[in-house]
Amino acid sequence: MSHSQRRLPQDPQVRALVQAMSQRSYSRRSVLSAAGALGLTGLLAACGTGGSSTKAAPSIEDISANDPTVNWANWTLYLDYDDEKKTYPTLDAFTKQTGIKVNYREDIDGNDTYYGKVQGQLKAGQDIGQDVITMTDWMAGRMIRQGYAQELDLANIPNSANLLPNLKDVDFDPGRKHSLTWQSGYAGIAWNKKAFPKGLKSVEDLWDPKLKGRITVLDEMRDTIGLLMLHNGVDIAGQWGESEFGAAADVLRENIGNGQIRQVKGNSYKEDFVSGDAIAGIVWSGDIVQMNFENDDQWEFVIPEAGGTLWSDNLMVPVASPRKANSEKLMDFYYDPAVAAQVAAYVNFICPVVGAQEEMEKIDPDLVGNPLIFPTDEDLAKAHVFRSLEADEETALNSEFQSAIGA
């Protein structure tokens, strides 16, 4: 994107707040190499599970005007953080600008585990205690189909116009009526460079006898099975069926059964990496970058030779949340390019906000060309989106996955 296309923050107060934040000392994540063949927006637009809402949300009285708070559940290490003050700078800036206090919790460890905890309340149309949740495309699609997400008023989120163009109409949420992309990223493989100096190039390398009992894989079906299917030569974005999926599940089942794989985990796999209990595995790209910054660059991440997966997480307002207006103000704030750049400089995931790359020049020029945050078409040559699944197909394949991991 050229300088002539530069977008400045729409709100002068936001601009001043973010500029003040960028002048202070914050943890910055190092640069990671990544890859792919389709453009970023083309790949991301292919994400999702299809379908639309089939259940009308209950009528909820919005108490935002009289209750200046918003509760936000997110994944770990997924927002800029001041290590010295133990605060989130952009949240502080949001509260200063709007007067709205944010109760921020790193409650999401996996899509299925989080959904399992709140599904009963969602089905009953009850407030789950969170006004904003951050779910991956396929889970966002499921919740939208089930009527568990409130429809957004995009007029209250004018900065949503900064969403990457091809992300504005995704198959799991046509017209972006219920969700907005938070961040995107890759699933690939990583290892402890000191403990396993020979390194990894493919998923097959994880089965090295020297790694027995020291491997973790993700409990996200599309990422772990996706990488295994890619290794088997399957185009996970194309046409495939239960036999191709089953062959990958059998590999997973075998390596769990023989003790090669230590555990199947969500975000908490990072604890095993840091403790040294695990020295290699199937992981998420940004997590390794963040852990390397805090732990002396111990690990290396690569997209396997056969390819990795590309995914997105999305901001949504769950059914029965009584603070949708406050939630929409929060989303609008994070879609300001200057704020989005501040977040991207910390988390190092793919940023979905047009104009953030130019704003990054003021925060950290070294990151303007970071392919993990602002990928080029060539960077994405090995990134693949797991195709959309029909509801009954998802149920059957998820059952096969759960059986493979012994859940």
Side-chain angles (χ1 to χ4, degrees), residues 51-55 137 139-149 172-174 176-179 316:
S52 58
S53 177
T54 58
K55 176 181 176 182
D137 289 326
M139 180 59 77
R142 178 194 296 181
M143 293 181 64
I144 291 168
R145 286 198 312 269
Q146 293 175 326
Y148 294 166
F172 67 86
D173 187 17
R176 282 293 182 184
K177 295 181 179 180
H178 303 86
S179 67
M316 308 170 69

Side-chain angles (χ1 to χ4, degrees), residues 189-260:
I189 53 179
W191 66 95
N192 185 300
K193 293 181 288 186
K194 182 177 180 180
F196 194 67
K198 67 182 291 185
L200 305 170
K201 292 183 179 180
S202 71
V203 171
E204 184 74 19
D205 292 340
L206 291 172
W207 316 140
D208 188 313
K210 294 180 180 179
L211 295 174
K212 187 169 184 177
R214 310 294 294 280
I215 298 292
T216 65
V217 299
L218 298 169
D219 66 1
E220 287 290 347
M221 176 184 75
R222 287 159 178 80
D223 290 329
T224 292
I225 293 292
L227 263 64
L228 293 169
M229 291 174 67
L230 286 165
H231 183 76
N232 288 342
V234 178
D235 176 8
I236 61 172
Q239 296 301 313
W240 51 266
E242 292 184 13
S243 61
E244 292 86 352
F245 185 95
D250 286 343
V251 173
L252 181 61
R253 184 181 288 107
E254 176 186 352
N255 284 283
I256 292 174
N258 66 21
Q260 185 74 16

Side-chain angles (χ1 to χ4, degrees), residues 3-306:
H3 287 283
S4 64
Q5 295 172 298
R6 185 190 192 101
R7 289 195 182 195
L8 299 178
Q10 288 84 346
D11 189 322
Q13 187 177 12
V14 173
R15 185 179 187 80
L17 286 168
V18 174
Q19 285 177 337
M21 291 189 294
S22 66
Q23 292 169 359
R24 295 163 56 189
S25 175
Y26 294 101
S27 298
R28 182 184 69 75
R29 303 320 188 192
S30 57
V31 178
L32 232 182
S33 289
L38 299 176
L40 168 64
T41 53
L43 275 170
L44 293 180
C47 296
T49 59
S52 58
S53 177
T54 58
K55 176 181 176 182
S59 177
I60 302 298
E61 178 184 0
D62 196 316
I63 63 173
S64 294
N66 298 316
D67 185 359
T69 60
V70 61
N71 302 313
W72 181 6
N74 205 353
W75 302 73
T76 61
L77 298 177
Y78 221 18
L79 187 64
D80 55 302
Y81 186 69
D82 185 331
D83 294 303
E84 293 183 0
K85 294 192 173 183
K86 311 299 181 186
T87 61
Y88 299 93
T90 54
L91 286 185
D92 292 343
F94 173 73
T95 298
K96 185 174 181 181
Q97 178 193 337
T98 64
I100 298 172
K101 177 185 176 182
V102 182
N103 298 312
Y104 183 79
R105 297 178 61 90
E106 296 182 332
D107 275 358
I108 303 176
D109 182 63
N111 284 288
D112 279 318
T113 53
Y114 187 78
Y115 179 78
K117 289 190 291 187
V118 300
Q119 180 184 15
Q121 291 171 280
L122 292 170
K123 186 174 182 180
Q126 298 173 353
D127 181 9
I128 65 171
Q130 300 296 338
D131 305 303
V132 179
I133 57 176
T134 316
M135 309 308 293
T136 307
D137 289 326
W138 62 271
M139 180 59 77
R142 178 194 296 181
M143 293 181 64
I144 291 168
R145 286 198 312 269
Q146 293 175 326
Y148 294 166
Q150 295 190 46
E151 184 168 339
L152 302 174
D153 184 350
L154 295 181
N156 293 334
I157 316 174
N159 282 336
S160 63
N162 296 328
L163 179 63
L164 288 170
N166 285 10
L167 282 174
K168 292 182 178 179
D169 191 20
V170 291
D171 66 351
F172 67 86
D173 187 17
R176 282 293 182 184
K177 295 181 179 180
H178 303 86
S179 67
L180 288 172
T181 304
W182 172 242
Q183 306 286 310
S184 301
Y186 304 102
I189 53 179
W191 66 95
N192 185 300
K193 293 181 288 186
K194 182 177 180 180
F196 194 67
K198 67 182 291 185
L200 305 170
K201 292 183 179 180
S202 71
V203 171
E204 184 74 19
D205 292 340
L206 291 172
W207 316 140
D208 188 313
K210 294 180 180 179
L211 295 174
K212 187 169 184 177
R214 310 294 294 280
I215 298 292
T216 65
V217 299
L218 298 169
D219 66 1
E220 287 290 347
M221 176 184 75
R222 287 159 178 80
D223 290 329
T224 292
I225 293 292
L227 263 64
L228 293 169
M229 291 174 67
L230 286 165
H231 183 76
N232 288 342
V234 178
D235 176 8
I236 61 172
Q239 296 301 313
W240 51 266
E242 292 184 13
S243 61
E244 292 86 352
F245 185 95
D250 286 343
V251 173
L252 181 61
R253 184 181 288 107
E254 176 186 352
N255 284 283
I256 292 174
N258 66 21
Q260 185 74 16
I261 293 174
R262 171 186 172 81
Q263 283 186 315
V264 181
K265 285 191 170 184
N267 258 130
S268 59
Y269 76 86
K270 293 176 291 189
E271 299 169 5
D272 290 345
F273 268 59
V274 172
S275 70
D277 290 335
I279 58 177
I282 294 175
V283 303
W284 288 309
S285 56
D287 291 339
I288 299 302
V289 181
Q290 293 162 347
M291 290 193 300
N292 272 338
F293 184 85
E294 296 168 352
N295 297 276
D296 300 321
D297 195 32
Q298 294 184 37
W299 303 278
E300 185 163 348
F301 170 91
V302 298
I303 292 179
E305 291 174 333

Side-chain angles (χ1 to χ4, degrees), residues 308-349:
T309 61
L310 179 67
W311 46 265
S312 296
D313 293 322
N314 303 271
L315 302 172
M316 308 170 69
V317 179
V319 64
S321 162
R323 303 176 190 85
K324 185 167 78 78
N326 287 347
S327 301
E328 290 165 342
K329 289 181 180 178
L330 182 76
M331 294 180 190
D332 189 63
F333 179 81
Y334 278 101
Y335 264 76
D336 185 290
V339 179
Q342 183 72 25
V343 173
Y346 185 91
V347 304
N348 274 189
F349 282 100

